[in-house]
Structures are given as C-alpha cells and as structure tokens.
Amino acid sequence: MIESLAVTAASESWAVSAQTLATELSLPYLGVVSAVAVDDYPQLLEVGETLKLCTTGRKAPGPVWVDFVGGAASHRRKFGGGKGQQIAKAIGIRSGSYPRVVDATAGLGRDAFVLASLGCEVLMLERNPVVRALLDDGLRRLREAAEADPELAPIAARLSLDESRLPAAEWLRQQPPESIPVVYLDPMFPQREKSAKVKKEMVAFHRLVGADEDADGLLDPAYAACYYRTVVKRPRLAPFLAGRKPSLSLEGKSGRFDIYTRHGMSRHGPSRNESPANQ
C-alpha cells in the first residue's frame, strides 16, 4: 500500500502487536530494529508504548505521535486561553453553548482535542490509514490516563474517531441534510519545507500525508450536512476553499478561520446530545 513505509517493534514484547498492525495496513514488518539502522525505507511506524512515525537515517528528525495527555496538548488545555481562542470563537463556543463538531480532516487531532477540552463533543474523520492508527493509539493512551485523572475523563468521553473509514466527502454525503451542528475542515495545505515555522518532524508528516489536492470537494458536502456552520482553517494568505467567499473570517498572525454560516446559533445552543435538525 505505502512502499515508503514499514513497521517495526520497539522491543520483542511488542513484536506480535507490530506484526498485527503491519498486516492491517498491508505494510512490511522489519522486526525489532532502530530507525537509525534502516536504509531501505524513508519512514517507519514503530510499535511500542506509543505508536510513533519515525524518519530513518542518522540525521533524521524526531518521531511524530499523537499526544493528548502531555506536552503541547496539556499546556494548551491549561494555558491556551479557553473560550477566548480564535478556534473557539469560530466554532461558536460560548457559555452554555458547546456545539457538536465533526472534524472531517482530523490529522493529528490537535484541534479536535482543543475543542473537546473546551466542552464540545467531537467526532474525528481521517482517511489516511497510518494517521488513523496514530490517532487510535493517542485515544487509547488518553482513555488510560483518564482513568486516573478526573480532569481528562470528561474530555476523553467527548472525543472519538469514526470507525467507518470512509473518505470525509463520502461520509458527509451520507449524513442527513443539516444534521451536524458544526463541520470543521483543516485540509493539508502545501508546506514550504524550508520555512523555519515548519518543524522538521512535521515536514516528514507532510511528506507522508501530502497536500489534500481534492480539498475543494469537501466544502459542498460539509455545508450540506451542517446546521449552524462549516468552519475552514486556512493559512492567512491562502485562497478560499473552492474559491467560495465565507460569511466571515477570523484572521490571526499566520492563519485564519473562514466561517460559512447556514443558521444563526441560538442564544444557549443545543445540548451536546441534541440534533438541531430535530429541534
């Protein structure tokens, strides 16, 4: 399936799990081997306590994995600005209003986790099978951590990964019209790999995933399925998705949120389990 990628195990105790994942993803399994020692494949999936996407070679950047518990996710959850963040404003989060969100281009799940930490139920869609595996592993570790951390427990309960494995456009077309409060889109935009703003490990991730060349095709099914709005995250100077001007945009230093409004949000908004279409 992906000739540039193989699976390894961090130790012999993870060998069976690694072989199983390799079979599921139709990837070769190389055994217990360090990424530094591999020359035949530019990237590896290393199965261990954490599932990691590793670039091979002696001068390779660090690995990429999904971390909903520590690191940047923890810092943003505690000190990120809460409902004052641009993404919260774009989605429509305010006191008493926490709309359900479908993140149709979840990637590493960072924005989805922020929205779940702010109070929204978030369903993540991700078509790339390798990225799905990283997300699934991140969710597993989040749920394990939530068993001992009462602050993480409600967030873990609000964050989920769609199991249908359908491409986002197809999944959205199958939803009843106006049945999803908010659809969130953050399609991969071509990155300038020499830019200082792009971390080396994320360059490797972008190489794996590639740009979403069919991203324009997401806007129509997303807008048809949403009830309140479709929100599109873009680089600040990027063209509008599908060339369509949004109802409004919230612009930051390096990015912006384009908002395509269908219905205005009620003052208090629906409950997390209520479908606006059935109000």
Side-chain angles (χ1 to χ4, degrees):
M1 182 191 66
I2 303 173
E3 296 181 355
S4 61
L5 188 67
V7 178
T8 63
S11 66
E12 287 294 346
S13 61
W14 291 99
V16 173
S17 297
Q19 290 174 24
T20 299
L21 181 63
T23 300
E24 290 175 353
L25 297 177
S26 300
L27 295 174
Y29 172 63
L30 304 184
V32 181
V33 59
S34 169
V36 175
V38 175
D39 296 320
D40 297 338
Y41 297 89
Q43 292 179 307
L44 300 175
L45 268 180
E46 183 186 84
V47 178
E49 291 289 346
T50 300
L51 181 65
K52 297 179 179 179
L53 175 66
C54 306
T55 301
T56 59
R58 294 185 178 280
K59 296 183 179 180
V64 175
W65 68 94
V66 173
D67 185 3
F68 295 134
V69 179
S74 176
H75 186 272
R76 189 168 178 183
R77 174 169 63 89
K78 297 174 181 177
F79 309 109
K83 298 182 183 69
Q85 298 176 72
Q86 287 281 71
I87 190 172
K89 296 176 182 178
I91 294 297
I93 297 172
R94 57 185 184 272
S95 182
S97 179
Y98 306 93
R100 288 186 293 111
V101 179
V102 169
D103 182 350
T105 53
L108 294 174
R110 293 170 178 174
D111 286 342
F113 178 79
V114 169
L115 295 174
S117 69
L118 293 175
C120 296
E121 286 188 359
V122 184
L123 176 65
M124 298 183 290
L125 310 181
E126 176 51 54
R127 65 180 175 180
N128 185 290
V130 174
V131 183
R132 278 187 57 89
L134 293 171
L135 282 170
D136 196 46
D137 181 70
L139 282 172
R140 173 187 63 81
R141 286 180 283 104
L142 172 63
R143 289 164 183 158
E144 289 176 355
E147 294 178 2
D149 188 337
E151 291 187 3
L152 288 176
I155 299 173
R158 289 192 291 263
L159 188 61
S160 60
L161 178 63
D162 173 64
E163 297 182 357
S164 71
R165 301 177 185 270
L166 291 173
E170 183 178 347
W171 187 94
L172 289 165
R173 290 190 199 99
Q174 292 185 8
Q175 306 313 303
E178 302 187 13
S179 61
I180 303 168
V182 176
V183 178
Y184 181 73
L185 303 175
D186 180 16
M188 189 73 77
F189 197 76
Q191 296 285 338
R192 293 176 299 170
E193 295 186 2
K194 294 182 180 179
S195 171
K197 294 182 179 180
V198 181
K199 293 182 179 180
K200 289 183 179 180
E201 59 267 27
M202 289 309 298
V203 171
F205 177 76
H206 294 153
R207 286 174 179 166
L208 170 70
V209 177
D212 287 327
E213 302 294 347
D214 55 353
D216 286 348
L218 287 172
L219 188 55
D220 280 343
Y223 190 71
C226 79
Y227 182 83
Y228 289 130
R229 59 182 60 174
T230 292
V231 178
V232 182
K233 184 178 181 180
R234 302 291 275 168
R236 187 172 63 87
L237 300 179
F240 297 131
L241 193 63
R244 189 184 307 175
K245 185 177 180 180
S247 306
L248 68 152
S249 295
L250 299 179
E251 191 169 300
K253 292 182 179 180
S254 61
R256 70 173 195 269
F257 294 97
D258 294 335
I259 303 168
Y260 298 83
T261 302
R262 178 178 288 280
H263 297 292
M265 289 190 173
S266 62
R267 187 172 185 83
H268 297 291
S271 67
R272 294 188 181 93
N273 297 317
E274 184 180 0
S275 172
N278 295 326
Q279 289 183 15

